[in-house]
Amino acid sequence: MLVQDRTNPKSPKTHNNNSNSSNRALPTVHPNRFSESKSLDFSTWASENLYKIVTILLLIATVAALFFLRNVGDTAALLCFESQSQQLETIHFPKIKWNSIEPIVDKTTPYANFRSEKWVVVSVSDYPSDSLKNLVKIKGWQVLAIGNSKTPSDWSLKGTIFLSLEQQAQLGFRVVDFLPYDSYVRKTVGYLFAIQHGAKKIFDADDRGDVIDNDIGKHFDVELVGEGARQEVILQYSHENPNRTVVNPYVHFGQRSVWPRGMPLENVGEIGHEEYYTEVFGGKQFIQQGISNGLPDVDSVFYFTRKSGLEAFDIRFDERAQKVALPQGMMVPVNSFNTLYHSSAFWALMLPVSVSTMASDVLRGYWGQRLLWEIGGFVVVYPPTVHRYDRIEGYPFSEEKDLHVNVGRLTKFLVSWRSGKHRLLFEKILELSYAMAEEGLWSEKDVKFTAAWLQDLLAVRYQQPRLMTLELDRPRATIGHGDRKEFLPQKLPSVHLGVEEIGTVNYEIGNLIRWRKTFGNVVLIMFCSGPVERTALEWRLLYGRIFKTVIILAEQKNEDLVVEEGRLDYLYKQLPSIFNRYSSAEGFLFLHDDTIINYWNLLQADKTKLWITDKVPESWTPVRDDGKSDWFTQQAELVNKVVNSMPVHFQVSYKESMPDPSSTTLCSSEVFYVPRRFVSDFIDLVNLVGDLDMHQKVAVPMIFLSMDSPQNFDSVFGTMIYKPDQPSTNSTPSYSPEVPAVHPWGVSSEQEFIKLVRIMAAGDPLLMELV
């Protein structure tokens, strides 16, 4: 290329006065140097700028194609274009040369030459807990603590191996590139480190749980072969029902009303004990799931719907119940804080990274169980092995969205999945991870993570187990009469919602979830005329299971019981401040404590409409002013004054509903509902009343008639039991679970509350847990 092609010529000023020197300075011009002018010869220019021409033509073609698809609407062309776009987003199957993986040795920690066969792996985000200190005292087990970005920089505990983020990054493991900095899933590094240093058993633990009797071997089958192994048969769930894919092990250990995190919500109502079990020989229970006393592994649905917030969970399971195995085709939730893994299942320790943290170990558990069948292994659930204390301040429901949305679909997919790989277990593992990504059960990131995990396992010299030549679709063996083993679980009391459970639980758990979903964003405002020190907590206990928030008001404030001060006769004036306090609530239900609502009969009501007792003659009464009552005359005058000051839309609505100006409506107002869309109207009308001495029984019907026409009210309370002349005593004949509400019904003591709950249990059997 000529110099002139990339630089500017020098200025000729220095040569103007000396022609000789100028001639010497000028270079010799070769004969054909400028013989082909690039500005005039198109062929040369085109050849040298071919890539630019092609790029421009491709750009023009793309714009033209997009314009054509947009304006012409050629369906076939559009589908072709979309198909090509989808191909660009296709999940790629990792290609691994299994025989070319270089070993990874520990060259960066002080523990390079340390070896131990039994490890406890925990994640730590704070300074050592008392439970963790107790774990260190267990003989024969080496505790490995894995730090994250939340862990204090000076973390240390004598007898524990601690790996900080910096140390983890220096180990050379491929998985480190995929792990979040602030999550317990960094335990994945710990598993690899333990295997690298001789692990044969790994106890996946939590630093909040105390091992019962401080002896892991007392509860789990630490040895599966050799002299220390327990040579015994194990109780196993029956495989007779091929459509039963998930079971709740808590029922087997005495707690029918409790279900583990990861249990599909559609299955939580299956609480009947097993008709019979079968048996299986031990030795291949490669994954051993322990149960926790105190706070078991429960999901946020259980935690929020079964806990009052005042008492910590202390649920106990039957320690004498036999351990129970899961046959092929049947699964159980498995967690990451109380589980023993044997070396044959170390590959199943991988914690996925593309799902939420509360879902990671559960998805791992189901994924691992399915692959366990390929090597003839199985999961066994053991009686209580740890005691875990309930110190959770806020249960992260949002973190469990992956569970509640996908877990049912996941288990069905796993049970039906079949592999085309028949040579190596790791090939099957990668194939399943890829299939799960294609199903949207996790992302391509976890496919790549699986590939990194498997390569790291081989790099630390882990020997993958051999596949079993099993036909998963072959007919199952017939269960003969002699093969049936009976075991009747005990029904143990547990403490939640602040009281002991003594009742049985039925499919009504599903109803409870449905009620909670319906009214979970509705605020209940309750006025207590009775002694709040005896009833406030009970009312919260009863209705707090269903409604988002229960606000208790009374004549006297009680800070200890979170009871606010209010005057029943003018309580409507206090409601706007409560409405503003809960600006995201779907609606507000007001209730006087002399009225009971059967919330299970309110599901069909329209939460966008007003609810009030306008269809109940004893409660809602139009009255003419005959001058015989000074109080009523005064109230009627106040109504007319407010109505005449109303904006036109309120005034028209009221006068259409009350064509007789001498008539005023009285309403006892024990129960009514205001949806979100009428809140601003309610507040405007209360402001119109202002300081006027208008009674609640007069103001509430006036406000409702001004907000909307009665023909638009929801008539949900129309069939309630209402007996205004009956004394406010608990009389069983006046109650029915078939109506939406009952009035009157007074509760002034715990004994009366217990009686009420027992009667209401006809509509909500789970209420028997409260008494």
PDB file of all heavy atoms in Angstrom, residues 531-563:
ATOM      1  N   PRO A 531     -64.790  -7.817  76.941  1.00  0.00           N
ATOM      2  CA  PRO A 531     -63.469  -7.599  77.558  1.00  0.00           C
ATOM      3  C   PRO A 531     -62.342  -8.036  76.636  1.00  0.00           C
ATOM      4  O   PRO A 531     -62.127  -9.221  76.411  1.00  0.00           O
ATOM      5  CB  PRO A 531     -63.532  -8.463  78.826  1.00  0.00           C
ATOM      6  CG  PRO A 531     -64.554  -9.513  78.534  1.00  0.00           C
ATOM      7  CD  PRO A 531     -65.554  -8.875  77.621  1.00  0.00           C
ATOM      8  N   VAL A 532     -61.593  -7.092  76.111  1.00  0.00           N
ATOM      9  CA  VAL A 532     -60.575  -7.407  75.109  1.00  0.00           C
ATOM     10  C   VAL A 532     -59.434  -8.227  75.685  1.00  0.00           C
ATOM     11  O   VAL A 532     -58.793  -8.992  74.974  1.00  0.00           O
ATOM     12  CB  VAL A 532     -60.013  -6.121  74.457  1.00  0.00           C
ATOM     13  CG1 VAL A 532     -61.067  -5.445  73.616  1.00  0.00           C
ATOM     14  CG2 VAL A 532     -59.470  -5.175  75.515  1.00  0.00           C
ATOM     15  N   GLU A 533     -59.171  -8.075  77.000  1.00  0.00           N
ATOM     16  CA  GLU A 533     -58.081  -8.847  77.585  1.00  0.00           C
ATOM     17  C   GLU A 533     -58.380 -10.348  77.570  1.00  0.00           C
ATOM     18  O   GLU A 533     -57.476 -11.170  77.711  1.00  0.00           O
ATOM     19  CB  GLU A 533     -57.801  -8.371  79.014  1.00  0.00           C
ATOM     20  CG  GLU A 533     -58.909  -8.615  80.009  1.00  0.00           C
ATOM     21  CD  GLU A 533     -59.978  -7.516  79.978  1.00  0.00           C
ATOM     22  OE1 GLU A 533     -59.855  -6.607  79.139  1.00  0.00           O
ATOM     23  OE2 GLU A 533     -60.909  -7.582  80.797  1.00  0.00           O
ATOM     24  N   ARG A 534     -59.635 -10.702  77.396  1.00  0.00           N
ATOM     25  CA  ARG A 534     -60.023 -12.110  77.341  1.00  0.00           C
ATOM     26  C   ARG A 534     -60.285 -12.612  75.928  1.00  0.00           C
ATOM     27  O   ARG A 534     -60.296 -13.815  75.691  1.00  0.00           O
ATOM     28  CB  ARG A 534     -61.287 -12.338  78.174  1.00  0.00           C
ATOM     29  CG  ARG A 534     -61.149 -12.002  79.637  1.00  0.00           C
ATOM     30  CD  ARG A 534     -62.458 -12.263  80.355  1.00  0.00           C
ATOM     31  NE  ARG A 534     -62.396 -11.856  81.760  1.00  0.00           N
ATOM     32  CZ  ARG A 534     -63.451 -11.915  82.592  1.00  0.00           C
ATOM     33  NH1 ARG A 534     -64.614 -12.360  82.136  1.00  0.00           N
ATOM     34  NH2 ARG A 534     -63.324 -11.522  83.846  1.00  0.00           N
ATOM     35  N   THR A 535     -60.527 -11.678  74.995  1.00  0.00           N
ATOM     36  CA  THR A 535     -60.980 -12.129  73.675  1.00  0.00           C
ATOM     37  C   THR A 535     -60.174 -11.622  72.491  1.00  0.00           C
ATOM     38  O   THR A 535     -60.276 -12.183  71.399  1.00  0.00           O
ATOM     39  CB  THR A 535     -62.452 -11.709  73.460  1.00  0.00           C
ATOM     40  OG1 THR A 535     -62.547 -10.278  73.554  1.00  0.00           O
ATOM     41  CG2 THR A 535     -63.357 -12.351  74.493  1.00  0.00           C
ATOM     42  N   ALA A 536     -59.383 -10.564  72.662  1.00  0.00           N
ATOM     43  CA  ALA A 536     -58.697  -9.971  71.506  1.00  0.00           C
ATOM     44  C   ALA A 536     -57.809 -10.982  70.797  1.00  0.00           C
ATOM     45  O   ALA A 536     -57.834 -11.104  69.564  1.00  0.00           O
ATOM     46  CB  ALA A 536     -57.879  -8.753  71.946  1.00  0.00           C
ATOM     47  N   LEU A 537     -57.003 -11.703  71.550  1.00  0.00           N
ATOM     48  CA  LEU A 537     -56.110 -12.682  70.936  1.00  0.00           C
ATOM     49  C   LEU A 537     -56.902 -13.799  70.269  1.00  0.00           C
ATOM     50  O   LEU A 537     -56.521 -14.317  69.213  1.00  0.00           O
ATOM     51  CB  LEU A 537     -55.159 -13.260  71.986  1.00  0.00           C
ATOM     52  CG  LEU A 537     -54.130 -12.290  72.572  1.00  0.00           C
ATOM     53  CD1 LEU A 537     -53.268 -13.001  73.604  1.00  0.00           C
ATOM     54  CD2 LEU A 537     -53.251 -11.710  71.472  1.00  0.00           C
ATOM     55  N   GLU A 538     -58.024 -14.183  70.894  1.00  0.00           N
ATOM     56  CA  GLU A 538     -58.836 -15.254  70.325  1.00  0.00           C
ATOM     57  C   GLU A 538     -59.433 -14.854  68.976  1.00  0.00           C
ATOM     58  O   GLU A 538     -59.464 -15.655  68.033  1.00  0.00           O
ATOM     59  CB  GLU A 538     -59.946 -15.648  71.310  1.00  0.00           C
ATOM     60  CG  GLU A 538     -59.491 -16.532  72.459  1.00  0.00           C
ATOM     61  CD  GLU A 538     -58.755 -15.750  73.542  1.00  0.00           C
ATOM     62  OE1 GLU A 538     -58.622 -14.516  73.392  1.00  0.00           O
ATOM     63  OE2 GLU A 538     -58.307 -16.367  74.526  1.00  0.00           O
ATOM     64  N   TRP A 539     -59.900 -13.590  68.888  1.00  0.00           N
ATOM     65  CA  TRP A 539     -60.458 -13.143  67.611  1.00  0.00           C
ATOM     66  C   TRP A 539     -59.376 -13.122  66.525  1.00  0.00           C
ATOM     67  O   TRP A 539     -59.625 -13.520  65.384  1.00  0.00           O
ATOM     68  CB  TRP A 539     -61.072 -11.751  67.747  1.00  0.00           C
ATOM     69  CG  TRP A 539     -62.348 -11.709  68.544  1.00  0.00           C
ATOM     70  CD1 TRP A 539     -62.617 -10.935  69.631  1.00  0.00           C
ATOM     71  CD2 TRP A 539     -63.535 -12.471  68.314  1.00  0.00           C
ATOM     72  NE1 TRP A 539     -63.883 -11.170  70.106  1.00  0.00           N
ATOM     73  CE2 TRP A 539     -64.480 -12.105  69.302  1.00  0.00           C
ATOM     74  CE3 TRP A 539     -63.904 -13.417  67.379  1.00  0.00           C
ATOM     75  CZ2 TRP A 539     -65.758 -12.668  69.373  1.00  0.00           C
ATOM     76  CZ3 TRP A 539     -65.185 -13.990  67.449  1.00  0.00           C
ATOM     77  CH2 TRP A 539     -66.088 -13.610  68.433  1.00  0.00           C
ATOM     78  N   ARG A 540     -58.193 -12.659  66.886  1.00  0.00           N
ATOM     79  CA  ARG A 540     -57.097 -12.676  65.911  1.00  0.00           C
ATOM     80  C   ARG A 540     -56.745 -14.100  65.516  1.00  0.00           C
ATOM     81  O   ARG A 540     -56.404 -14.379  64.372  1.00  0.00           O
ATOM     82  CB  ARG A 540     -55.863 -11.982  66.495  1.00  0.00           C
ATOM     83  CG  ARG A 540     -55.916 -10.471  66.444  1.00  0.00           C
ATOM     84  CD  ARG A 540     -54.533  -9.860  66.534  1.00  0.00           C
ATOM     85  NE  ARG A 540     -54.605  -8.416  66.415  1.00  0.00           N
ATOM     86  CZ  ARG A 540     -54.713  -7.588  67.438  1.00  0.00           C
ATOM     87  NH1 ARG A 540     -54.761  -8.080  68.662  1.00  0.00           N
ATOM     88  NH2 ARG A 540     -54.772  -6.281  67.261  1.00  0.00           N
ATOM     89  N   LEU A 541     -56.822 -14.996  66.471  1.00  0.00           N
ATOM     90  CA  LEU A 541     -56.531 -16.398  66.210  1.00  0.00           C
ATOM     91  C   LEU A 541     -57.540 -16.988  65.232  1.00  0.00           C
ATOM     92  O   LEU A 541     -57.182 -17.711  64.300  1.00  0.00           O
ATOM     93  CB  LEU A 541     -56.560 -17.169  67.537  1.00  0.00           C
ATOM     94  CG  LEU A 541     -55.960 -18.565  67.575  1.00  0.00           C
ATOM     95  CD1 LEU A 541     -54.472 -18.509  67.317  1.00  0.00           C
ATOM     96  CD2 LEU A 541     -56.239 -19.194  68.940  1.00  0.00           C
ATOM     97  N   LEU A 542     -58.802 -16.632  65.439  1.00  0.00           N
ATOM     98  CA  LEU A 542     -59.872 -17.185  64.601  1.00  0.00           C
ATOM     99  C   LEU A 542     -59.852 -16.613  63.187  1.00  0.00           C
ATOM    100  O   LEU A 542     -59.829 -17.362  62.202  1.00  0.00           O
ATOM    101  CB  LEU A 542     -61.224 -16.908  65.262  1.00  0.00           C
ATOM    102  CG  LEU A 542     -62.468 -17.288  64.463  1.00  0.00           C
ATOM    103  CD1 LEU A 542     -62.502 -18.790  64.196  1.00  0.00           C
ATOM    104  CD2 LEU A 542     -63.737 -16.844  65.197  1.00  0.00           C
ATOM    105  N   TYR A 543     -59.841 -15.289  63.088  1.00  0.00           N
ATOM    106  CA  TYR A 543     -59.969 -14.656  61.778  1.00  0.00           C
ATOM    107  C   TYR A 543     -58.634 -14.360  61.102  1.00  0.00           C
ATOM    108  O   TYR A 543     -58.585 -14.157  59.888  1.00  0.00           O
ATOM    109  CB  TYR A 543     -60.779 -13.358  61.906  1.00  0.00           C
ATOM    110  CG  TYR A 543     -62.228 -13.571  62.285  1.00  0.00           C
ATOM    111  CD1 TYR A 543     -62.787 -12.918  63.374  1.00  0.00           C
ATOM    112  CD2 TYR A 543     -63.036 -14.440  61.557  1.00  0.00           C
ATOM    113  CE1 TYR A 543     -64.120 -13.098  63.732  1.00  0.00           C
ATOM    114  CE2 TYR A 543     -64.371 -14.638  61.900  1.00  0.00           C
ATOM    115  CZ  TYR A 543     -64.910 -13.967  62.988  1.00  0.00           C
ATOM    116  OH  TYR A 543     -66.219 -14.166  63.330  1.00  0.00           O
ATOM    117  N   GLY A 544     -57.557 -14.330  61.892  1.00  0.00           N
ATOM    118  CA  GLY A 544     -56.252 -14.032  61.303  1.00  0.00           C
ATOM    119  C   GLY A 544     -55.753 -15.123  60.388  1.00  0.00           C
ATOM    120  O   GLY A 544     -54.825 -14.908  59.603  1.00  0.00           O
ATOM    121  N   ARG A 545     -56.334 -16.315  60.476  1.00  0.00           N
ATOM    122  CA  ARG A 545     -55.979 -17.405  59.566  1.00  0.00           C
ATOM    123  C   ARG A 545     -56.451 -17.118  58.149  1.00  0.00           C
ATOM    124  O   ARG A 545     -55.965 -17.717  57.188  1.00  0.00           O
ATOM    125  CB  ARG A 545     -56.605 -18.716  60.036  1.00  0.00           C
ATOM    126  CG  ARG A 545     -56.146 -19.154  61.399  1.00  0.00           C
ATOM    127  CD  ARG A 545     -57.126 -20.138  62.046  1.00  0.00           C
ATOM    128  NE  ARG A 545     -57.261 -21.365  61.290  1.00  0.00           N
ATOM    129  CZ  ARG A 545     -58.345 -21.730  60.623  1.00  0.00           C
ATOM    130  NH1 ARG A 545     -59.397 -20.915  60.595  1.00  0.00           N
ATOM    131  NH2 ARG A 545     -58.408 -22.875  59.987  1.00  0.00           N
ATOM    132  N   ILE A 546     -57.427 -16.214  58.020  1.00  0.00           N
ATOM    133  CA  ILE A 546     -58.092 -16.000  56.730  1.00  0.00           C
ATOM    134  C   ILE A 546     -57.768 -14.637  56.142  1.00  0.00           C
ATOM    135  O   ILE A 546     -57.453 -14.519  54.952  1.00  0.00           O
ATOM    136  CB  ILE A 546     -59.624 -16.140  56.896  1.00  0.00           C
ATOM    137  CG1 ILE A 546     -59.983 -17.466  57.562  1.00  0.00           C
ATOM    138  CG2 ILE A 546     -60.315 -15.995  55.544  1.00  0.00           C
ATOM    139  CD1 ILE A 546     -59.551 -18.697  56.796  1.00  0.00           C
ATOM    140  N   PHE A 547     -57.829 -13.594  56.956  1.00  0.00           N
ATOM    141  CA  PHE A 547     -57.736 -12.227  56.445  1.00  0.00           C
ATOM    142  C   PHE A 547     -56.315 -11.684  56.539  1.00  0.00           C
ATOM    143  O   PHE A 547     -55.532 -12.104  57.394  1.00  0.00           O
ATOM    144  CB  PHE A 547     -58.696 -11.308  57.204  1.00  0.00           C
ATOM    145  CG  PHE A 547     -60.147 -11.645  56.981  1.00  0.00           C
ATOM    146  CD1 PHE A 547     -60.805 -12.513  57.836  1.00  0.00           C
ATOM    147  CD2 PHE A 547     -60.832 -11.122  55.900  1.00  0.00           C
ATOM    148  CE1 PHE A 547     -62.129 -12.841  57.636  1.00  0.00           C
ATOM    149  CE2 PHE A 547     -62.157 -11.445  55.672  1.00  0.00           C
ATOM    150  CZ  PHE A 547     -62.814 -12.312  56.547  1.00  0.00           C
ATOM    151  N   LYS A 548     -56.013 -10.757  55.668  1.00  0.00           N
ATOM    152  CA  LYS A 548     -54.683 -10.159  55.605  1.00  0.00           C
ATOM    153  C   LYS A 548     -54.281  -9.559  56.949  1.00  0.00           C
ATOM    154  O   LYS A 548     -53.195  -9.803  57.468  1.00  0.00           O
ATOM    155  CB  LYS A 548     -54.664  -9.072  54.529  1.00  0.00           C
ATOM    156  CG  LYS A 548     -53.374  -8.261  54.496  1.00  0.00           C
ATOM    157  CD  LYS A 548     -53.451  -7.160  53.441  1.00  0.00           C
ATOM    158  CE  LYS A 548     -52.156  -6.361  53.418  1.00  0.00           C
ATOM    159  NZ  LYS A 548     -52.184  -5.305  52.389  1.00  0.00           N
ATOM    160  N   THR A 549     -55.177  -8.754  57.503  1.00  0.00           N
ATOM    161  CA  THR A 549     -54.915  -8.064  58.756  1.00  0.00           C
ATOM    162  C   THR A 549     -56.199  -8.022  59.565  1.00  0.00           C
ATOM    163  O   THR A 549     -57.282  -7.839  58.993  1.00  0.00           O
ATOM    164  CB  THR A 549     -54.419  -6.627  58.509  1.00  0.00           C
ATOM    165  OG1 THR A 549     -53.248  -6.667  57.677  1.00  0.00           O
ATOM    166  CG2 THR A 549     -54.086  -5.921  59.808  1.00  0.00           C
ATOM    167  N   VAL A 550     -56.085  -8.209  60.866  1.00  0.00           N
ATOM    168  CA  VAL A 550     -57.232  -8.087  61.757  1.00  0.00           C
ATOM    169  C   VAL A 550     -56.946  -6.921  62.704  1.00  0.00           C
ATOM    170  O   VAL A 550     -56.014  -6.983  63.507  1.00  0.00           O
ATOM    171  CB  VAL A 550     -57.484  -9.378  62.552  1.00  0.00           C
ATOM    172  CG1 VAL A 550     -58.650  -9.179  63.524  1.00  0.00           C
ATOM    173  CG2 VAL A 550     -57.769 -10.540  61.614  1.00  0.00           C
ATOM    174  N   ILE A 551     -57.758  -5.870  62.596  1.00  0.00           N
ATOM    175  CA  ILE A 551     -57.614  -4.691  63.451  1.00  0.00           C
ATOM    176  C   ILE A 551     -58.680  -4.764  64.526  1.00  0.00           C
ATOM    177  O   ILE A 551     -59.871  -4.887  64.231  1.00  0.00           O
ATOM    178  CB  ILE A 551     -57.759  -3.401  62.632  1.00  0.00           C
ATOM    179  CG1 ILE A 551     -56.663  -3.329  61.553  1.00  0.00           C
ATOM    180  CG2 ILE A 551     -57.708  -2.176  63.530  1.00  0.00           C
ATOM    181  CD1 ILE A 551     -56.827  -2.175  60.613  1.00  0.00           C
ATOM    182  N   ILE A 552     -58.249  -4.694  65.773  1.00  0.00           N
ATOM    183  CA  ILE A 552     -59.173  -4.750  66.900  1.00  0.00           C
ATOM    184  C   ILE A 552     -59.323  -3.346  67.479  1.00  0.00           C
ATOM    185  O   ILE A 552     -58.330  -2.667  67.777  1.00  0.00           O
ATOM    186  CB  ILE A 552     -58.675  -5.705  68.000  1.00  0.00           C
ATOM    187  CG1 ILE A 552     -58.416  -7.100  67.423  1.00  0.00           C
ATOM    188  CG2 ILE A 552     -59.672  -5.768  69.149  1.00  0.00           C
ATOM    189  CD1 ILE A 552     -59.648  -7.833  66.982  1.00  0.00           C
ATOM    190  N   LEU A 553     -60.586  -2.908  67.638  1.00  0.00           N
ATOM    191  CA  LEU A 553     -60.891  -1.626  68.252  1.00  0.00           C
ATOM    192  C   LEU A 553     -61.771  -1.859  69.475  1.00  0.00           C
ATOM    193  O   LEU A 553     -62.564  -2.803  69.507  1.00  0.00           O
ATOM    194  CB  LEU A 553     -61.603  -0.697  67.271  1.00  0.00           C
ATOM    195  CG  LEU A 553     -60.847  -0.384  65.975  1.00  0.00           C
ATOM    196  CD1 LEU A 553     -61.747  -0.554  64.790  1.00  0.00           C
ATOM    197  CD2 LEU A 553     -60.284   1.008  66.011  1.00  0.00           C
ATOM    198  N   ALA A 554     -61.654  -1.004  70.473  1.00  0.00           N
ATOM    199  CA  ALA A 554     -62.462  -1.100  71.689  1.00  0.00           C
ATOM    200  C   ALA A 554     -62.573   0.284  72.310  1.00  0.00           C
ATOM    201  O   ALA A 554     -61.906   1.234  71.894  1.00  0.00           O
ATOM    202  CB  ALA A 554     -61.838  -2.092  72.667  1.00  0.00           C
ATOM    203  N   GLU A 555     -63.428   0.378  73.333  1.00  0.00           N
ATOM    204  CA  GLU A 555     -63.617   1.675  73.990  1.00  0.00           C
ATOM    205  C   GLU A 555     -62.338   2.158  74.644  1.00  0.00           C
ATOM    206  O   GLU A 555     -62.081   3.357  74.725  1.00  0.00           O
ATOM    207  CB  GLU A 555     -64.734   1.555  75.041  1.00  0.00           C
ATOM    208  CG  GLU A 555     -66.115   1.328  74.458  1.00  0.00           C
ATOM    209  CD  GLU A 555     -66.652   2.542  73.728  1.00  0.00           C
ATOM    210  OE1 GLU A 555     -66.116   3.652  73.920  1.00  0.00           O
ATOM    211  OE2 GLU A 555     -67.603   2.380  72.938  1.00  0.00           O
ATOM    212  N   GLN A 556     -61.513   1.209  75.114  1.00  0.00           N
ATOM    213  CA  GLN A 556     -60.255   1.571  75.751  1.00  0.00           C
ATOM    214  C   GLN A 556     -59.088   0.968  74.987  1.00  0.00           C
ATOM    215  O   GLN A 556     -59.133  -0.202  74.598  1.00  0.00           O
ATOM    216  CB  GLN A 556     -60.229   1.102  77.207  1.00  0.00           C
ATOM    217  CG  GLN A 556     -61.195   1.848  78.107  1.00  0.00           C
ATOM    218  CD  GLN A 556     -61.044   1.447  79.568  1.00  0.00           C
ATOM    219  OE1 GLN A 556     -60.376   0.472  79.884  1.00  0.00           O
ATOM    220  NE2 GLN A 556     -61.659   2.224  80.451  1.00  0.00           N
ATOM    221  N   LYS A 557     -58.054   1.738  74.826  1.00  0.00           N
ATOM    222  CA  LYS A 557     -56.859   1.288  74.126  1.00  0.00           C
ATOM    223  C   LYS A 557     -56.067   0.307  74.985  1.00  0.00           C
ATOM    224  O   LYS A 557     -56.008   0.439  76.204  1.00  0.00           O
ATOM    225  CB  LYS A 557     -55.996   2.505  73.776  1.00  0.00           C
ATOM    226  CG  LYS A 557     -54.745   2.207  72.977  1.00  0.00           C
ATOM    227  CD  LYS A 557     -54.006   3.501  72.653  1.00  0.00           C
ATOM    228  CE  LYS A 557     -52.755   3.243  71.832  1.00  0.00           C
ATOM    229  NZ  LYS A 557     -52.032   4.496  71.509  1.00  0.00           N
ATOM    230  N   ASN A 558     -55.452  -0.690  74.331  1.00  0.00           N
ATOM    231  CA  ASN A 558     -54.607  -1.651  75.037  1.00  0.00           C
ATOM    232  C   ASN A 558     -53.397  -1.928  74.160  1.00  0.00           C
ATOM    233  O   ASN A 558     -53.468  -2.702  73.204  1.00  0.00           O
ATOM    234  CB  ASN A 558     -55.372  -2.946  75.326  1.00  0.00           C
ATOM    235  CG  ASN A 558     -54.610  -3.881  76.251  1.00  0.00           C
ATOM    236  OD1 ASN A 558     -53.412  -4.060  76.111  1.00  0.00           O
ATOM    237  ND2 ASN A 558     -55.335  -4.486  77.190  1.00  0.00           N
ATOM    238  N   GLU A 559     -52.280  -1.276  74.472  1.00  0.00           N
ATOM    239  CA  GLU A 559     -51.090  -1.396  73.627  1.00  0.00           C
ATOM    240  C   GLU A 559     -50.508  -2.798  73.655  1.00  0.00           C
ATOM    241  O   GLU A 559     -49.986  -3.275  72.649  1.00  0.00           O
ATOM    242  CB  GLU A 559     -50.031  -0.382  74.068  1.00  0.00           C
ATOM    243  CG  GLU A 559     -50.431   1.073  73.833  1.00  0.00           C
ATOM    244  CD  GLU A 559     -49.330   2.031  74.217  1.00  0.00           C
ATOM    245  OE1 GLU A 559     -48.302   1.561  74.751  1.00  0.00           O
ATOM    246  OE2 GLU A 559     -49.493   3.248  73.973  1.00  0.00           O
ATOM    247  N   ASP A 560     -50.596  -3.457  74.809  1.00  0.00           N
ATOM    248  CA  ASP A 560     -50.032  -4.804  74.917  1.00  0.00           C
ATOM    249  C   ASP A 560     -50.725  -5.786  73.977  1.00  0.00           C
ATOM    250  O   ASP A 560     -50.094  -6.692  73.431  1.00  0.00           O
ATOM    251  CB  ASP A 560     -50.137  -5.317  76.356  1.00  0.00           C
ATOM    252  CG  ASP A 560     -49.272  -4.515  77.314  1.00  0.00           C
ATOM    253  OD1 ASP A 560     -48.287  -3.915  76.833  1.00  0.00           O
ATOM    254  OD2 ASP A 560     -49.572  -4.483  78.518  1.00  0.00           O
ATOM    255  N   LEU A 561     -52.022  -5.611  73.797  1.00  0.00           N
ATOM    256  CA  LEU A 561     -52.794  -6.500  72.924  1.00  0.00           C
ATOM    257  C   LEU A 561     -52.992  -5.906  71.535  1.00  0.00           C
ATOM    258  O   LEU A 561     -53.715  -6.484  70.725  1.00  0.00           O
ATOM    259  CB  LEU A 561     -54.164  -6.797  73.557  1.00  0.00           C
ATOM    260  CG  LEU A 561     -54.124  -7.527  74.905  1.00  0.00           C
ATOM    261  CD1 LEU A 561     -55.533  -7.652  75.479  1.00  0.00           C
ATOM    262  CD2 LEU A 561     -53.481  -8.899  74.754  1.00  0.00           C
ATOM    263  N   VAL A 562     -52.363  -4.751  71.268  1.00  0.00           N
ATOM    264  CA  VAL A 562     -52.494  -4.033  69.988  1.00  0.00           C
ATOM    265  C   VAL A 562     -53.970  -3.771  69.689  1.00  0.00           C
ATOM    266  O   VAL A 562     -54.487  -4.087  68.616  1.00  0.00           O
ATOM    267  CB  VAL A 562     -51.830  -4.832  68.844  1.00  0.00           C
ATOM    268  CG1 VAL A 562     -51.604  -3.913  67.640  1.00  0.00           C
ATOM    269  CG2 VAL A 562     -50.520  -5.461  69.273  1.00  0.00           C
ATOM    270  N   VAL A 563     -54.645  -3.225  70.672  1.00  0.00           N
ATOM    271  CA  VAL A 563     -56.055  -2.843  70.528  1.00  0.00           C
ATOM    272  C   VAL A 563     -56.123  -1.326  70.464  1.00  0.00           C
ATOM    273  O   VAL A 563     -55.613  -0.632  71.353  1.00  0.00           O
ATOM    274  CB  VAL A 563     -56.906  -3.380  71.698  1.00  0.00           C
ATOM    275  CG1 VAL A 563     -58.332  -2.859  71.598  1.00  0.00           C
ATOM    276  CG2 VAL A 563     -56.892  -4.902  71.703  1.00  0.00           C
TER     277      VAL A 563
END
